[in-house]
Amino acid sequence: MIGGLFIYNHKGEVLISRVYRDDIGRNAVDAFRVNIIHARQQVRSPVTNIAHTSFFHAKRSNIWLAAATKQNVIMVFESLYKMCDVMAAYFGKISEDCWTPKENTVLTGNILDFGYPQNSETGALKTFITQQGVKSQITSQVTGQIGWRREGIKYRRNELFLDVLESVNLLMSPQGQVLSTNVSGRVVMKSYLSGMPECKFGMNDKIVIEKQGKGGRSEDGGKSSKQSIAIDDCTFHHCVRLSKFDSERSISFIPPDGEYELMRYRTTKDIILPFRVIPLVREVGRTKLEVKVVIKSNFKSSLLAQKIEVHIPTPLNTSGVQLICMKGKAKYKASENAIIWKIKRMAEMEESQISAEIKLLPTNDKKKWTRPPLSMNFEVRYLKVFESKLNYSDHDVIKWFVTSDEVESTRCAADAAGADEKKEGCPVTSSSSSSLLLFLLSAL
Amino acid sequence: MMNDSLFSLVCAGEIFELKAELNSDKKEKKKEAVKKVIASMTVGKDVSALFPDVVNCMQTDNLELKKLVYLYLMNYAKSQPDMAIMAVNTFVKDCEDPNPLIRALAVRTMGCIRVDKITEYLCEPLRKCLKDEDPYVRKTAAVCVAKLHDINAQLVEDQGFLDTLKDLISDSNPMVVANAVAALSEIAESHPNSNLLDLNPQTINKLLTALNECTEWGQIFILDCLANYTPRDDRESQSICERVTPRLSHANSAVVLSAVKVLMKFMEMLPKDLDYYGTLLKKLAPPLVTLLSAEPELQYVALRNINLIVQRRPEILKHEMKVFFVKYNDPIYVKLEKLDIMIRLASQANIAQVLAELKEYATEVDVDFVRKAVRAIGRCAIKVEQSAERCVSTLLDLIQTKVNYVVQEAIVVIKDIFRKYPNKYESVIATLCENLDSLDEPEARAAMIWIVGEYAERIDNADELLESFLEGFHDESTQVQLQLLTAIVKLFLKKPTETQELVQQVLSLATQDSDNPDLRDRGYIYWRLLSTDPVAAKEVVLAEKPLISEETDLIEPTLLEELICHIGTLASVYHKPPSAFVEGSRGVQHKRLPGSAGSGESVESPDTGSAAGVSEAPPAVIPSQGDLLGDLLNLDLTPPTTTGPPPPSSGMQMGAMDLLGGGLDSLLGGDLGGSPAMGAGFGAPPAAMPASFTAPVSGGLDDLFDLGGGVGMPMGAYSPPKTVWLPAMKAKGLEISGTFARRAGVIQMEMTLTNKAMSVMTDFAIQFNRNSFGLAPAGPLQVLTPLSPNQSIEVTLPLNTVGPVMKMEPLNNLQVAVKNNIDVFYFSCQYPISMLFVEDGKMERQVFLATWKDIPNDNESQFQIKDCHLNSDAASNKLQGSNIFTIAKRTVEGQDMLYQSMKLTNGIWVLAELRVQAGNPNYTVSTEPIYPIMNISQESNGSLNQTINTVLH
């Protein structure tokens, strides 16, 4: 198992070093610093073997996390991430300040024992740290079946918030042909419920709907095929009963208290892209670049996209940018090497355009600009609940929150422009699907 | 430094200060001091000097303070073993504390104090804790057993802790079960033969129940343990699989990977035709793909594992090619791994897409990635035959970009493509040669040199190209030097005339001026080969190479099986067995996949070493020079060189000079007969033949004698019936009818001379005009007695083939002049080509195959033989009588295909394919002469076919 855990700041100064096993010597701390942190080159592999010791390492916002071992261990990245999550939950963000010895020595002691990951439930660990007196309750909680929730939680108002965050990945060939699209979504929940509530979710997953259709509700047949989505795969938070999902396709769980990621899903079929983004890039001489980006909305009339933000990358040697946009506000941010274009809202079938003249500093650098992809974020307020099927009983309010969609058009811009440099860039569509999941919530 | 005073440096004065604070009466001050100590400790400073003072703080009711002190103990107990005993009492006391948290803390810390003296005192408290009522204490105690075992294995066994631990597997609390399993697994690893984890269906059932209820980490321990179990039959393994599959939807990717491991392993047990097997395959794909949307480090781990999985079961992800397309913002290690998997998944169905992607990648920025992409294109060509052409043209496009490293990488892979598809894409050589100057990496230079040597006969200026490399011979890397040596030797064997100097130069460079033993040895081998037995040299250097295949880069099957058992662990990331990176006894036992219902499909990975030049020699048959090189042989040996073993290089060189000087002259002389000279050579064996040479030389001689021995071959060669060549009317009464035959390896002209005139005929003489094969009478026409009127005489005239050569029309036409006392008469006759087939016309099977492929289709001609009622075997026998040798026979759709070779007296080989359909009297013959130099051409093929036709009838 894990022999040692080392946490460094970006300069390579040790914030935490915990050795769990004898086979990891104290010099391992320095070996990692010298070979990885101070190597000053791109990380070529997140698993490195230095002098017969294997290091799993990851960098999270200026903090290096490294787990050292000399054995053939299971993958420990998950535990490293969990540790970050716990830190983030405890301190609000991960930074150097998080790793003050007092709390985290206690934390790391509980997360790993003899190198075995033990407990990583944020809630439970918080109790470990914050408890001042002696509460024997915690022991039964962390070893019990519902380690993520303590008993006796009471709220005056029982609330449940649900965010669906989707990101659409689109890969396009230089010829404008869509190579692959997929939507990966996350369902993030905030629950403030009393007691030990048993929650149950259904979703308009194809398999479920088809099953129901067979169950005698043939009149729904035509409708359901329209509304159902084929989910390629989904993964669930620890609290969801997986065997039940496997057999009945129903998501049932007792939620942890507070915020958590209930599920992730991935779909690839029938993705309707709600936006078309068409960038045109023209190189005028060696010191000038003309960029024009057109976005077109392409969704149903009932929807409204809000807080649209388009991120247009610019070359590293940009010296100045002149912008003209039809709608919204645009600004060149030198720190991000990008033009940020913000539009408050866009209705269906609308079109907007921005044109930019980028002045470049002449450089000797022969490396051509790699043309990173454009990306785009927006939110869609999207509420569609089958009221009739909601049979929440003892909870007063169930708030539905926004579905915020995130778009990422991967690599396509780079390809499009890279192929024919002096002519116009090829059209790139990058957009997001707005209505992938319909959730039926029944809180019992 | 960073945060607050806690991080301030520990210097001597400070330790003193801390000491005072620790011994203070005020609780608050004490606590603060301990915190400071711990803070220093955590950042790796040495505060062990404070040990007694800190231990003194141990006896406190404050849980927080206790925790900190325990933490300190864990760190420093080992360096202060005597002091550590002081703590024992407190531990024992704390293990009976009413608060389970304190009990657990005590037992956890206890295990971490790695001091032998203490361990004995700890057994009792540990035993109690293992049976504690609180599961939290039990689960901590379970891990403590593993810790204790690490310190003192004997003690743990003697105290019976292992049995207690085994009992914990049946504990009611899943978390306890999980930790007990983890502890047992680890202990079992250091005792490979002990039956600690006695897995039987009952315990498996318990584990599977606990699996649903314990924490994610517990699930991993249990799944890893399950993977070590071998189910009794396929039904049991199916039921386990069914209960493990829900884990594939877990958010923790380590759980998913462990579940995948269990499934991959138990799948071996399932029969392939089972429905469930197919379902399982389908279920495995989505979670694996989902892992690719995790954090990059996890993606990397997932990709390394997927790499193993697609090698074992490519069907799982065969439709998921697109998810492995590289994204712009992937870190480089993810990109490289994705590329690897793309090639593994490439098939005819998706090759177009893959190639388009790879071409894009080849224009990226990262050099490593670009190189790998170019290499990947080559691997696609080798893997998917249909795509080879497209891959080659893509590579050519990339070469046009003139980006240096792209060009070099492309040349390296094109070499591999040549190895896979010999004689198919030679047209690109010209383009490659254009970039010769830009190659600066050894691998690319070596590849280019290999190509030039391999196809020397197709590259006009091969010698110039190689010579240009030779200039800086000593500055090249060994790889290039070796390749250059081999290439020049190949070139010499292919074009002996123009390249003597070159080969001499390279041999002396390699043997005399080089310090590298590999190079020197290879140089000597070639030198000796060339000087002792050039025929053998040709066979060795130009031997047919095994074709490379895509399996070359696959992981060796037994290793793959072992790695599959280690999915989700470090071994699967390194693609190495644990024994390769784990020190000591831990984890070195080899895991194997269970014997499966259908394990016959294990992948083979033929070992194709590509470095050695000898094995790299190309398949090529060079006609006509075999016996010439025999000449070289004796010319080389005649001068009595005094080389002894080991031969000093000067002597060697002398021999080679002879070889090159004398031997080649005669070679150039176009002496096609060979045999007289050969005889002469043998007649004068070298006086002082160096001992080291004896063996190979005599071997060579034996071979040659064998060849000669072939002269006494079986009779029964085809001989056409006599026909009238010269009617009496035309020759003033002399009628000549005759035929040709090959008897005992000698071509004979059998004639019947009949005197139909009124007067006696005497003084017969005969002469041939120049003809296609240089036929000439070997002696005078033996008509001893005068030929009286109406008398006939049978004359047999032996012929040889050393006469002047001129192409005739038709090819086998022979113009003869016969003289007697009356006049000179001219006639022409046609001899059957079959009599020119020599006895050693049996080609090596391998050579035949390669040659058959080599010959361009244009050379082929087809012919049908009508009304032949022999079966294939009889035909084969009959043909053999005429020195048409059957090399191979195969049956395709009721047709017998006979592959035959024959060699003409002038050394030209002819290959034929004879198709015999059972019951159909018509045969189809197609013949292909190799190297239609001289006069064999299209129409000659016809005559060859005719020959076969006539022989068969």
Side-chain angles (χ1 to χ4, degrees), chain A residues 21-22 81 100 116 134 233, chain B residues 3 99 114 186 253 290 297:
Chain A
R21 303 239 167 167
D22 268 358
Y81 297 145
T100 55
Y116 290 118
V134 177
D233 188 35
Chain B
N3 208 352
N99 184 342
R114 312 178 57 83
E186 185 168 335
S253 57
T290 301
E297 291 88 6

Side-chain angles (χ1 to χ4, degrees), chain B residues 45-151:
Chain B
K45 289 176 199 161
D46 187 12
V47 283
S48 58
L50 295 166
F51 196 88
D53 309 286
V54 176
V55 172
N56 276 338
C57 303
M58 200 170 157
Q59 297 207 16
T60 170
D61 297 332
N62 189 318
L63 185 61
E64 200 188 341
L65 185 57
K66 197 173 254 276
K67 275 183 187 172
L68 293 173
V69 174
Y70 277 179
L71 204 60
Y72 180 87
L73 270 178
M74 283 187 219
N75 253 317
Y76 290 116
K78 195 156 191 195
S79 56
Q80 312 264 340
D82 296 329
M83 301 277 220
I85 301 215
M86 289 162 53
V88 168
N89 261 335
T90 324
F91 279 129
V92 177
K93 215 175 113 200
D94 279 354
C95 281
E96 282 163 11
D97 196 278
N99 184 342
L101 273 183
I102 291 188
R103 292 201 298 271
L105 189 63
V107 86
R108 181 192 298 154
T109 313
M110 237 160 57
C112 295
I113 297 178
R114 312 178 57 83
V115 177
D116 252 344
K117 280 185 197 164
I118 288 193
T119 47
E120 301 163 33
Y121 299 101
L122 300 182
C123 291
E124 255 344 279
L126 178 59
R127 202 188 316 280
K128 261 185 210 154
C129 287
L130 278 169
K131 298 196 168 131
D132 199 281
E133 52 170 18
D134 194 297
Y136 188 75
V137 180
R138 286 203 301 275
K139 75 144 191 158
T140 315
V143 176
C144 188
V145 175
K147 292 176 189 170
L148 201 57
H149 185 271
D150 201 35
I151 306 166

Side-chain angles (χ1 to χ4, degrees), chain B residues 494-738:
Chain B
K494 290 175 180 184
K495 294 182 179 173
T497 49
E498 308 119 44
T499 55
Q500 311 161 35
E501 266 180 47
L502 198 60
V503 79
Q504 219 169 312
Q505 208 181 335
V506 77
L507 285 175
S508 72
L509 276 174
T511 53
Q512 287 169 32
D513 303 343
S514 171
D515 296 331
N516 186 312
D518 281 349
L519 187 63
R520 236 170 20 216
D521 283 357
R522 196 187 282 191
Y524 279 130
I525 287 171
Y526 284 143
W527 206 323
R528 280 180 220 179
L529 262 177
L530 288 174
S531 54
T532 53
D533 190 350
V535 185
K538 187 164 284 178
E539 274 168 17
V540 171
V541 179
L542 304 181
E544 188 189 12
K545 292 175 296 301
L547 296 181
I548 55 168
S549 62
E550 46 130 348
E551 280 94 29
T552 326
D553 59 5
L554 292 180
I555 293 173
E556 191 262 327
T558 50
L559 176 61
L560 181 63
E561 281 190 17
E562 191 180 348
L563 291 179
I564 290 284
C565 300
H566 288 294
I567 283 178
T569 70
L570 201 50
S572 69
V573 174
Y574 287 145
H575 287 186
K576 281 179 193 160
S579 52
F581 58 90
V582 174
E583 286 169 347
S585 62
R586 272 216 179 97
V588 281
Q589 77 253 49
H590 292 271
K591 295 187 181 177
R592 295 297 307 267
L593 290 177
S596 57
S599 65
E601 34 101 58
S602 66
V603 204
E604 270 181 49
S605 65
D607 173 37
T608 339
S610 63
V614 178
S615 66
E616 256 177 25
V621 177
I622 310 270
S624 86
Q625 282 169 9
D627 38 3
L628 288 179
L629 289 167
D631 264 8
L632 285 178
L633 161 80
N634 58 56
L635 275 164
D636 174 39
L637 291 176
T638 315
T641 50
T642 48
T643 24
S649 53
S650 62
M652 279 305 298
Q653 199 191 7
M654 238 177 103
M657 294 288 245
D658 282 323
L659 153 75
L660 300 165
L664 284 161
D665 283 351
S666 76
L667 205 155
L668 289 172
D671 176 349
L672 292 175
S675 39
M678 210 152 68
F682 293 154
M689 192 153 58
S692 65
F693 282 171
T694 316
V697 167
S698 59
L701 294 182
D702 283 347
D703 281 349
L704 289 165
F705 281 129
D706 276 351
L707 205 152
V711 171
M713 280 288 288
M715 304 294 147
Y718 164 76
S719 161
K722 284 184 179 169
T723 47
V724 178
W725 284 341
L726 185 69
M729 284 161 62
K730 279 191 177 170
K732 300 183 178 168
L734 177 66
E735 188 187 85
I736 302 179
S737 63

Side-chain angles (χ1 to χ4, degrees), chain B residues 896-916:
Chain B
D896 284 337
M897 321 272 275
L898 297 178
Y899 290 93
Q900 296 167 315
S901 77
M902 52 219 105
K903 186 179 166 190
L904 294 170
T905 46
N906 58 0
I908 291 177
W909 287 86
V910 180
L911 309 183
E913 181 193 59
L914 187 64
R915 263 177 256 159
V916 183

Side-chain angles (χ1 to χ4, degrees), chain A residues 1 9 13-18 21-23 26 42-49 52-60 69-75 77-79 81-82 96-97 99-102 104-106 109-110 113-114 116-121 128 131-136 138-140 142-145 169 171 174 179-180 184 232-238 242-243 245-246 264 266 367-368 370-373 408 410-411 414-415, chain B residues 2-3 6-7 35 38-39 42-44 63-64 67-68 71 74-75 78 99-101 108 114 134-136 139-140 143 146-147 150 173-175 179 182-183 186 212-217 219-221 224 242 245-254 257-258 283 286-287 289-290 293 295 297-298 300-301 322 325-329 332-333 336 353 357 360-361 363-366 368 566 568-571 573-574 578 581-583 586:
Chain A
M1 289 298 110
N9 65 9
E13 289 163 347
V14 182
L15 301 178
I16 287 188
S17 84
R18 274 299 296 270
R21 303 239 167 167
D22 268 358
D23 54 1
R26 305 246 168 228
Q42 220 180 352
V43 174
R44 285 285 169 178
S45 161
V47 183
T48 318
N49 197 322
H52 305 295
T53 308
S54 302
F55 289 91
F56 298 82
H57 49 93
K59 200 180 179 191
R60 287 285 171 279
T69 183
K70 284 204 172 181
Q71 294 169 40
N72 184 32
V73 300
I74 49 155
M75 284 310 132
F77 282 119
E78 284 281 1
S79 2
Y81 297 145
K82 280 278 154 64
E96 265 180 43
D97 303 342
W99 309 95
T100 55
K102 181 193 132 200
N104 63 54
T105 40
V106 181
N110 275 305
D113 181 9
F114 197 40
Y116 290 118
Q118 291 295 303
N119 201 313
S120 52
E121 293 300 334
F128 266 117
Q131 61 167 335
Q132 293 299 320
V134 177
K135 285 182 198 160
S136 60
I138 182 79
T139 58
S140 56
V142 295
T143 54
Q145 291 189 22
N169 297 300
L171 203 58
L179 291 174
S180 74
S184 49
D232 285 21
D233 188 35
C234 38
T235 58
F236 295 99
H237 185 266
H238 182 50
L242 294 177
S243 35
F245 177 75
D246 197 51
R264 281 175 188 242
R266 189 168 53 77
K367 253 188 194 174
K368 64 175 186 227
T370 54
R371 305 193 185 210
E408 190 187 347
T410 313
R411 224 199 68 213
D415 283 353
Chain B
M2 265 163 296
N3 208 352
L6 291 180
F7 279 97
K35 272 189 191 173
I38 299 291
T42 318
V43 293
L63 185 61
E64 200 188 341
K67 275 183 187 172
L68 293 173
L71 204 60
M74 283 187 219
N75 253 317
K78 195 156 191 195
N99 184 342
L101 273 183
R108 181 192 298 154
R114 312 178 57 83
D134 194 297
Y136 188 75
K139 75 144 191 158
T140 315
V143 176
K147 292 176 189 170
D150 201 35
N173 186 295
M175 189 73 182
N179 274 4
E186 185 168 335
N212 286 326
E213 293 164 349
C214 63
T215 67
E216 42 197 326
W217 311 112
Q219 296 184 14
I220 296 169
F221 303 145
D224 277 359
E242 276 165 357
T245 36
R247 298 298 122 197
L248 293 174
S249 311
H250 202 286
N252 187 324
S253 57
L257 277 176
S258 294
K283 277 193 175 166
V289 175
T290 301
S293 41
E295 287 85 351
E297 291 88 6
L298 279 175
Y300 173 76
V301 170
K322 282 178 181 174
F325 285 175
V326 169
K327 289 185 192 168
Y328 173 81
N329 40 7
I332 183 68
Y333 48 82
L336 292 173
Q353 260 185 342
E357 281 290 303
E360 283 304 320
Y361 302 163
T363 59
E364 286 249 0
V365 186
D366 188 288
D368 279 356
H566 288 294
T569 70
L570 201 50
V573 174
Y574 287 145
F581 58 90
V582 174
E583 286 169 347
R586 272 216 179 97

